Amino acid sequence: MLDVSVVGLEVSDIPDWERLERSCFAQPWSAAQLESGLTQGSLAGLGAKRDGVLLGYLAYYLICESLEILNIAVAPTERGQGIGAQLLAAVLAQASAHGATRAVLEVSAGNQAALALYSRFGFVEVGRRPRYYPESGADAILMERGV
Ligand SMILES: CC(C)(COP(=O)(O)OP(=O)(O)OC[C@H]1O[C@@H](n2cnc3c(N)ncnc32)[C@H](O)[C@@H]1OP(=O)(O)O)[C@@H](O)C(=O)NCCC(=O)NCCS
């Protein structure tokens, strides 16, 4: 497992965050979306950094007893080294400390790596939105676990 520091992301991280986002997704969040999410409180971010370089992030929304995992991504060259698992473990620990009792997320049925990661952490399927993703036609799988 690669040793990284997991830290809260701030507005000053947005240029690196946006670069990482663009390297991971065909339809990335823009810097403006990240900034309005952070400043308006509709998302928070955890970053995995090594020597100050952002290698992965997890975006989430924590409200009352519920943790919503909005997105997770690790730089393509850094995958398979436990960074995604460290981010997920960190957000679950943080949510637990804030009194959350359940964690929810949505993932494409075609995303084997993410599905395997979430299953390994005990998330189970609780629902589906058929053909939710227009680009691929894949279902969205709704997953949940206790915190
Ligand atoms: C999903 C993602 C974040 C995983 O990050 P990662 O750092 O590579 O994951 P880890 O190395 O921490 O792996 C943890 C577990 O996830 C599962 N996993 C991760 N990548 C996998 C793959 N390619 N195939 C199968 N299982 C995989 C395994 O269970 C793994 O545990 P193991 O190493 O003990 O077998 C990464 O693949 C990614 O950034 N994908 C593109 C963005 C994306 O699709 N995000 C999800 C949006 S919902």
Side-chain angles (χ1 to χ4, degrees):
M1 181 175 289
L2 190 71
D3 190 26
V4 290
S5 313
V6 176
V7 295
L9 290 174
E10 298 171 3
V11 169
S12 57
D13 291 302
I14 287 178
D16 291 342
W17 190 351
E18 188 201 20
R19 249 191 309 279
L20 176 60
E21 178 75 6
R22 275 195 269 110
S23 74
C24 292
F25 295 107
Q27 289 165 311
W29 287 340
S30 66
Q33 285 171 306
L34 293 171
E35 184 165 353
S36 70
L38 275 187
T39 53
Q40 290 168 19
S42 59
L43 69 79
L46 288 180
K49 292 187 180 181
R50 187 171 169 88
D51 299 329
V53 178
L54 186 65
L55 303 181
Y57 84 87
L58 186 152
Y60 66 97
Y61 181 56
L62 187 54
I63 181 154
C64 302
E65 80 292 352
S66 196
L67 167 69
E68 189 175 347
I69 294 170
L70 302 172
N71 217 350
I72 182 169
V74 172
T77 54
E78 305 295 336
R79 292 179 189 162
Q81 302 180 89
I83 297 174
Q86 289 178 73
L87 285 164
L88 199 46
V91 80
L92 289 166
Q94 193 165 311
S96 171
H98 281 84
T101 56
R102 68 179 199 133
V104 298
L105 59 85
E106 213 171 272
V107 58
S108 166
N111 193 337
Q112 291 308 320
L115 279 167
L117 171 65
Y118 297 140
S119 300
R120 196 186 120 183
F121 273 77
F123 282 87
V124 295
E125 180 174 338
V126 292
R128 267 186 192 243
R129 298 189 213 281
R131 297 174 298 285
Y132 181 74
Y133 298 97
E135 329 79 60
S136 62
D139 293 354
I141 301 183
L142 313 179
M143 303 185 91
E144 192 173 316
R145 62 158 260 181
V147 167

